[in-house]
Amino acid sequence: MPPAFLTHPQTQPRSFSGKPGLAIVLGPRKRTPKPTFLPSRSNDQARSAHALRQPGSLEKAFEGLSQQNPHAMPSQENFATVLELCASERALSQGHQIHGRILTSGLLSYNDFLGTKLLFMYGKCGCVSSARQLFDEMPHRSIFTWNALMGAYSSSEAQQHEALELYEALRAAGVSPDAYTLVSLMKSCAAVGDLQCGSETHGLAIKCGHVSSAFVVNSLVTMYAKCGHFELARRLFEWLPEKEDVVSWNSVISACVQNERWTEALTFFREMQEAGVEVNSYTAVGILQACAELFLLKLGRGLHASLLKCGQKAEIFVANALVVMYARCGQMDHSVQVFQEMGQKDNVSWNSVLSGYMQNRQYDEVIHFFLRMRDAGCRPDKVAVINAASSLGQLRNLSRGREIHAYAVRHALHGDLQVGNTLIDMYSRCSSAEHARRVFDAMPDKDHISWTAMIVAYVQSFRYSEAMGSFKNALAAGTKIDAVMLVAVLRAFSGHSCTSQVKEIHSYVTRHGLSDLFLENMLIDAYGECGESGYAASVFERVESKDVISWTSMINAFAHNGLLLEAISLLYHFKGSGLQIDAAALVSVLGAVAELSILRKGKEIHGLAIRRGFTADTSLVNSLVDMYARCGDVEACHNLFDRVESKDLVLWTTIIDANGMHGRGAEAMALFEEMQKTGTLPDHICFLALLYACSHSGLPDEGMDYLEMMQNGYELVPWPEHYACVVDMLSRSGRVDEAYEFIAGMPAAPTAPVWCALIGGCRVYSNSEVGRVAAQRLLELEPQNPGNYVLASNVFAAAGRWAEVDEIRGKMKAKGLKKIPACSWIEMGNVVHSFVAGDEAHPASAVIYSELAEITGELEQKFGYKPDTRFVLHDLGDDEKAELLGRHSERLAITLGLIGTSGGGAPIRVNKNLRVCGDCHEFTKLVSKLFQREVILRDANRFHRFRDGSCSCGDFW
């Protein structure tokens, strides 16, 4: 802070009363004397200097100098006055001119007063090099000269160390420092965080008797606060015998703010008001910061009202603080209103609004405001670029993101470390690892955040090998490894199913003591993704203070690895842990419930979601619709769907898929048309659900139309899954040769699911020639998948080609592969009863077989039922085949359902892990007619709703 005689009134803070506050307030015990070296002035000189200080501008001051007697050189007073104006208006060019005139006058050679004024002007204008040059050329230097240069250094962020060096030179020259010297020195100590030098300065202030000055104590408070010693700062403030100085209160409030002691800042503010000290604009800024951090909108508004009552416009730094406070409190309308009412705006003003929009997730507004900032002639700086790039990353807007990148390059901002890191993150969110890599490679400096962002970019683009390579390069470069980077690397390893590497990271975390809850939860996730639910459970058990994410991660790990009952069981343990279950945990368990098709559990979770108030959660609603669909209650799906006001693409896709799996192709197509009318654009997954619906409803022509719409209408390139669905759709409709031709015309090599789909049609329609080709291709692509051998052998068994069946089964046996056994299950009460073919392990198996024999006899007698032995794909006699059919797992489950439930209208719900055979399908149709009971059977392909002797699939599955 400059000496009092160099302080221009325009730089002083205003109080809320509208009266000027004091920039420098001295303590009551001792005042630092004003400089007494000023020469005496004549009345004419005083009047001349006064005239130059009249309201106006620097331009008028120059005119005043020119209008003086041309034969007389302006006095040092007049030169000093104009230099003060140059300093206050940062008018470096005019200051140079005055410097030239002073040199011409010869006054500078013997007058350190004007030299000091020039030094101060250069410092205020930011031209510290010129100030230093002038200082070195001055033959005489007073303490005020040293203070002027030290003040210039301490006001320059990049030259704080030079201030410390200058102080050493001052002491070496034998000059005694005064209070202003110590204040500038403490300012530099605070800026570089040099507590030792600051403490030594404190000792010198005591020795010289300057600690009785509030001016010095305030600087000490600020210095200790910035060096992280808040308690020392607080004790110094409390040591002050009298606290009538607003600057002292501002210093301690600022110390609280700098150390994020927001509540204490408000406590001091209250004490300040109780002491009757008038608040000024600097106080307001500190308190507004505290209000912003604590979201105290009411108090912030009160301060704003006090400012307005003054009848004066808030100074720019106060207005900026108001903009930030309203933005942090979620009041962007008020924030923008304050901004628009500002008479003068700087980059901080514009950036405060940009950051406000960003914090409130109004990403489109960030971009609009960035463009407005540029068009208003205010050049966006690195803060603006960071906000814009971050918003475009959130919006996944790659093209606009590249424009922001180009702007940063044109204005030489791309070399900044923070800008570079943000650009990498933006490209990462836009799934453009290539662009992210270019930014990374072009960065002159990289920190651990840069490496982490690059690893994340690769993970986001599913380029796990490159992510792992980047991590190894970061280690080789000696980069600091933190928890965030390790989490990114774990995602890469888990995405690559690299169990050994996950174990290595786990070991690294343990060895280096980096283990925390964040990393432990990620390890549970990573082990789960790698199929190691045992390791995941081991980490979970060792977590001492489990949080919601810990439980959810473990539930996910169980569900991901097919341990569905364990996932559901863990949810109930979670519920009893005392923690509040969140929506994410329920979404995970609903996936397990849907997979097991346990409707009762699904309804329980739905009820829990309602009680917890999660029914507005989009992900949860989507999962509930999917759960009801997979549990066979399509009506509940529609009830939920209809109650959602704002439907997103995922929900539309889920309801279309729900109708598709229940064979309601017409309803699925109608929903798709309804979705189009809302303006929602379909994506790849939506078209996949639509093609699936057409496939399972016997609508091949409509399905082909949708494929054409997808490619030409929406310019979406089909995935292999779309091609497999089309092949399945054509094959199921008996158009096997057309399906084979479609495969031949595919732009990419057919995948295993494509050949699987074709084989299914070949088996149903006994096309063994095409089936043989498909089987050969399938076994070449996936020779270790036992299901493929079963499919291939079934094609030949259906055609009676038993030699080829034996050959395929021999290959399967030689490879040590085993067929997945068929399994059916039914939920009754709170118990799930499961069966395999010929199962006698159930406690009620004798009763079940007895009842099943009676039911079969009734069907034969009343409806002429005869077992269709074509569906037994073994080389056996007809009687043996009929006996095998009669012991299929779905019949056992249906029979138990008939025994254990009354006919009160509730359907019997049975699930099977494989496709239901044709004979069991016919059997179930007749059971539904005989007992007038609805049977809902979910097999591996779709749902079958049997009612009064017919099935919803129309015998097409």
Side-chain angles (χ1 to χ4, degrees):
M1 187 176 290
F5 73 92
L6 295 179
T7 304
H8 192 272
Q10 292 181 358
T11 65
Q12 296 175 346
R14 294 194 184 106
S15 66
F16 282 1
S17 65
K19 299 175 183 178
L22 292 177
I24 302 171
V25 180
L26 304 180
R29 299 182 189 175
K30 180 179 178 181
R31 295 181 181 273
T32 303
K34 293 184 179 179
T36 57
F37 64 88
L38 295 179
S40 61
R41 300 183 296 178
S42 67
N43 291 336
D44 290 340
Q45 287 176 326
R47 282 194 296 270
S48 176
H50 178 73
L52 291 176
R53 289 193 183 96
Q54 290 304 303
S57 64
L58 184 61
E59 184 180 351
K60 288 188 178 182
F62 265 84
E63 289 176 4
L65 279 181
S66 354
Q67 289 169 3
Q68 292 183 3
N69 188 342
H71 301 291
M73 185 61 64
S75 68
Q76 66 175 7
E77 285 296 319
N78 291 339
F79 279 131
T81 300
V82 179
L83 284 172
E84 286 179 14
L85 287 169
C86 292
S88 66
E89 297 187 20
R90 310 294 193 269
L92 181 61
S93 176
Q94 290 88 334
H96 277 308
Q97 294 179 42
I98 298 299
H99 191 174
R101 293 190 66 177
I102 292 173
L103 288 173
T104 304
S105 72
L107 290 173
L108 195 59
S109 60
Y110 63 86
N111 193 330
D112 62 348
F113 169 68
L114 282 179
T116 301
K117 285 287 188 178
L118 279 167
L119 277 175
F120 179 67
M121 182 275 298
Y122 280 126
K124 293 293 284 185
C125 292
C127 191
V128 185
S129 59
S130 295
R132 180 70 203 212
Q133 183 179 350
L134 175 62
F135 177 85
D136 291 339
E137 293 171 355
M138 291 177 66
H140 307 289
R141 303 178 188 125
S142 68
I143 184 58
F144 303 104
T145 310
W146 289 90
N147 287 346
L149 183 59
M150 186 168 288
Y153 278 140
S154 64
S155 297
S156 172
E157 290 185 12
Q159 294 180 291
Q160 302 296 335
H161 289 287
E162 283 84 345
L164 303 181
E165 292 171 3
L166 184 67
Y167 173 73
E168 294 296 331
L170 178 148
R171 297 303 301 273
V175 180
S176 297
D178 65 6
Y180 296 107
T181 315
L182 300 181
V183 166
S184 293
L185 182 61
M186 284 185 281
K187 183 178 179 182
S188 294
C189 291
V192 299
D194 192 339
L195 180 63
Q196 181 178 350
C197 182
S199 299
E200 291 173 2
T201 307
H202 187 181
L204 183 60
I206 295 172
K207 182 179 179 181
C208 297
H210 294 310
V211 287
S212 59
S213 166
F215 172 49
V216 173
V217 174
N218 294 340
S219 297
L220 283 167
V221 169
T222 301
M223 183 272 294
Y224 281 121
K226 287 189 175 180
C227 290
H229 285 259
F230 174 74
E231 292 305 324
L232 282 174
R234 179 211 284 273
R235 287 207 297 269
L236 270 169
F237 172 78
E238 291 173 346
W239 172 83
L240 283 171
E242 297 180 16
K243 300 181 179 66
E244 299 174 355
D245 174 15
V246 66
V247 180
S248 301
W249 287 99
N250 288 347
S251 297
V252 74
I253 289 172
S254 176
C256 293
V257 170
Q258 288 162 6
N259 288 271
E260 299 182 359
R261 305 287 191 93
W262 314 113
T263 305
E264 289 169 84
L266 296 178
T267 301
F268 279 118
F269 177 58
R270 187 178 64 252
E271 292 174 3
M272 176 183 180
Q273 291 178 306
E274 291 171 354
V277 179
E278 193 168 12
V279 176
N280 69 9
S281 51
Y282 291 121
T283 320
V285 169
I287 299 306
L288 284 170
Q289 280 185 265
C291 291
E293 294 297 330
L294 298 175
F295 307 105
L296 298 176
L297 178 61
K298 186 176 180 180
L299 179 57
R301 278 178 171 164
L303 280 173
H304 190 186
S306 298
L307 284 168
L308 294 174
K309 286 177 184 177
C310 295
Q312 297 178 350
K313 285 193 174 181
E315 292 170 89
I316 188 168
F317 58 91
V318 179
N320 289 342
L322 282 167
V323 169
V324 171
M325 184 275 296
Y326 280 121
R328 288 297 299 272
C329 293
Q331 302 290 312
M332 278 310 299
D333 289 344
H334 290 88
S335 181
V336 172
Q337 183 180 347
V338 173
F339 173 83
Q340 290 174 342
E341 291 174 355
M342 292 172 66
Q344 181 186 0
K345 302 177 180 72
D346 59 7
N347 268 46
V348 176
S349 314
W350 290 91
N351 289 337
S352 297
V353 178
L354 277 173
S355 299
Y357 279 130
M358 183 70 197
Q359 290 158 8
N360 287 279
R361 301 183 180 182
Q362 298 181 33
Y363 305 122
D364 287 315
E365 293 299 326
V366 173
I367 306 308
H368 294 153
F369 200 77
F370 179 89
L371 298 175
R372 178 181 163 188
M373 178 182 183
R374 187 193 62 188
D375 295 341
C378 183
R379 176 174 163 181
D381 58 9
K382 75 171 191 176
V383 176
V385 169
I386 287 169
N387 277 303
S390 298
S391 297
L392 290 166
Q394 295 290 341
L395 294 170
R396 312 292 193 269
N397 192 328
L398 179 60
S399 60
R400 295 300 292 272
R402 294 180 66 183
E403 290 176 17
I404 291 294
H405 186 184
Y407 176 90
V409 172
R410 285 197 306 272
H411 294 87
L413 297 172
H414 63 296
D416 179 84
L417 180 62
Q418 200 173 356
V419 171
N421 290 344
T422 306
L423 288 170
I424 294 173
D425 179 70
M426 177 197 72
Y427 283 126
S428 169
R429 292 176 185 277
C430 293
S431 301
S432 181
E434 288 302 326
H435 287 95
R437 184 75 207 191
R438 288 180 202 143
V439 174
F440 180 82
D441 290 339
M443 290 173 66
D445 299 303
K446 302 176 182 70
D447 61 3
H448 67 286
I449 297 174
S450 315
W451 286 98
T452 302
M454 194 62 243
I455 292 168
V456 171
Y458 281 131
V459 172
Q460 293 277 9
S461 297
F462 307 105
R463 295 168 62 170
Y464 300 118
S465 297
E466 288 97 327
M468 291 187 283
S470 289
F471 176 64
K472 292 175 182 176
N473 291 336
L475 284 172
T479 306
K480 170 190 171 186
I481 307 299
D482 64 357
V484 178
M485 183 184 290
L486 291 172
V487 165
V489 174
L490 282 170
R491 286 201 179 101
F493 289 151
S494 60
H496 229 27
S497 296
C498 299
T499 306
S500 59
Q501 283 86 348
V502 172
K503 290 179 180 177
E504 286 180 25
I505 295 295
H506 190 177
S507 176
Y508 181 93
V509 168
T510 304
R511 286 197 314 272
H512 291 82
L514 296 173
S515 185
D516 60 10
L517 187 58
F518 182 49
L519 267 173
E520 287 170 334
N521 290 341
M522 189 59 218
L523 281 166
I524 296 170
D525 272 335
Y527 279 127
E529 289 289 327
C530 291
E532 298 288 350
S533 56
Y535 282 109
S538 176
V539 175
F540 176 77
E541 289 299 326
R542 287 199 299 270
V543 177
E544 293 181 3
S545 300
K546 299 178 179 67
D547 63 0
V548 173
I549 298 174
S550 311
W551 287 94
T552 304
S553 298
M554 194 62 239
I555 290 169
N556 275 331
F558 280 143
H560 178 75
N561 290 283
L563 301 172
L564 307 177
L565 291 174
E566 287 84 347
I568 296 170
S569 174
L570 191 61
L571 176 72
Y572 288 93
H573 284 92
F574 181 9
K575 189 178 175 183
S577 70
L579 292 171
Q580 292 291 330
I581 294 177
D582 65 352
L586 298 184
V587 167
S588 300
V589 176
L590 282 170
V593 170
E595 193 67 28
L596 289 170
S597 194
I598 308 175
L599 182 60
R600 184 184 294 271
K601 292 292 184 187
K603 287 181 176 179
E604 287 179 12
I605 294 168
H606 189 181
L608 179 59
I610 292 171
R611 292 192 298 276
R612 297 282 292 116
F614 294 148
T615 51
D617 185 279
T618 305
S619 297
L620 184 64
V621 172
N622 293 338
S623 297
L624 282 168
V625 171
D626 182 65
M627 180 274 296
Y628 279 118
R630 293 179 181 276
C631 290
D633 195 344
V634 72
E635 289 77 15
C637 292
H638 279 276
N639 289 337
L640 266 173
F641 176 81
D642 292 339
R643 286 201 295 267
V644 178
E645 293 183 5
S646 181
K647 301 174 176 68
D648 62 4
L649 176 60
V650 177
L651 185 56
W652 283 105
T653 302
T654 304
I655 195 68
I656 290 170
D657 186 51
N659 282 275
M661 72 175 69
H662 284 270
R664 299 168 57 158
E667 289 87 344
M669 292 189 295
L671 283 164
F672 180 74
E673 291 179 10
E674 187 181 342
M675 183 192 82
Q676 286 180 303
K677 291 176 183 176
T678 67
T680 305
L681 295 176
D683 64 358
H684 287 84
I685 299 173
C686 183
F687 274 108
L688 192 61
L690 200 57
L691 289 171
Y692 177 88
C694 292
S695 173
H696 288 273
S697 300
L699 302 169
D701 294 330
E702 290 82 350
M704 296 304 290
D705 290 340
Y706 284 124
L707 180 68
E708 193 274 335
M709 179 192 295
M710 173 187 175
Q711 292 176 286
N712 300 324
Y714 290 96
E715 298 181 349
L716 296 173
V717 178
W719 295 343
E721 290 84 353
H722 294 94
Y723 291 123
C725 205
V726 170
V727 172
D728 182 67
M729 178 176 65
L730 293 172
S731 300
R732 286 177 186 277
S733 302
R735 295 155 67 169
V736 176
D737 292 333
E738 186 179 343
Y740 187 57
E741 291 173 7
F742 178 82
I743 294 172
M746 283 172 52
T751 58
V754 172
W755 293 114
C756 279
L758 185 62
I759 286 176
C762 292
R763 184 185 62 79
V764 173
Y765 296 100
S766 302
N767 192 329
S768 58
E769 293 304 316
V770 174
R772 183 176 56 80
V773 175
Q776 182 180 350
R777 298 285 187 273
L778 179 61
L779 296 179
E780 288 172 358
L781 288 171
E782 291 185 347
Q784 297 302 317
N785 187 340
N788 295 339
Y789 290 90
V790 174
L791 281 173
S793 67
N794 287 349
V795 171
F796 297 119
R801 298 166 63 168
W802 298 110
E804 284 147 302
V805 170
D806 291 339
E807 181 184 351
I808 290 174
R809 288 177 178 169
K811 290 179 180 178
M812 186 176 175
K813 186 176 181 180
K815 290 180 178 291
L817 302 176
K818 293 184 178 180
K819 174 186 175 183
I820 299 172
C823 176
S824 298
W825 63 95
I826 182 172
E827 181 188 13
M828 294 173 60
N830 284 319
V831 181
V832 176
H833 304 264
S834 59
F835 300 90
V836 294
D839 200 337
E840 295 183 357
H842 194 278
S845 61
V847 177
I848 291 170
Y849 281 110
S850 174
E851 181 68 19
L852 179 57
E854 289 185 21
I855 292 170
T856 305
E858 279 195 70
L859 296 181
E860 290 173 349
Q861 183 181 357
K862 292 184 177 181
F863 305 116
Y865 165 73
K866 288 184 180 180
D868 191 341
T869 57
R870 293 176 302 163
F871 293 101
V872 179
L873 303 176
H874 296 278
D875 191 11
L876 300 170
D878 285 346
D879 290 341
E880 292 173 292
K881 288 182 178 181
E883 184 179 353
L884 286 176
L885 286 172
R887 299 167 68 86
H888 274 189
S889 61
E890 54 264 55
R891 300 192 191 205
L892 301 177
I894 291 169
T895 303
L896 179 61
L898 290 169
I899 295 171
T901 61
S902 62
I908 296 171
R909 300 177 185 275
V910 175
N911 302 277
K912 185 175 182 181
N913 64 334
L914 301 179
R915 182 178 181 273
V916 63
C917 80
D919 185 64
C920 288
H921 189 267
E922 184 65 23
F923 172 87
T924 310
K925 285 199 301 183
L926 297 176
V927 165
S928 71
K929 187 174 183 179
L930 176 65
F931 291 94
Q932 290 298 295
R933 295 286 300 275
E934 182 180 11
V935 179
I936 300 175
L937 173 62
R938 172 188 167 187
D939 70 4
N941 287 336
R942 58 168 297 152
F943 273 91
H944 303 265
R945 300 176 72 98
F946 299 94
R947 187 181 297 164
D948 197 26
S950 63
C951 180
S952 59
C953 72
D955 297 335
F956 183 88
W957 81 101

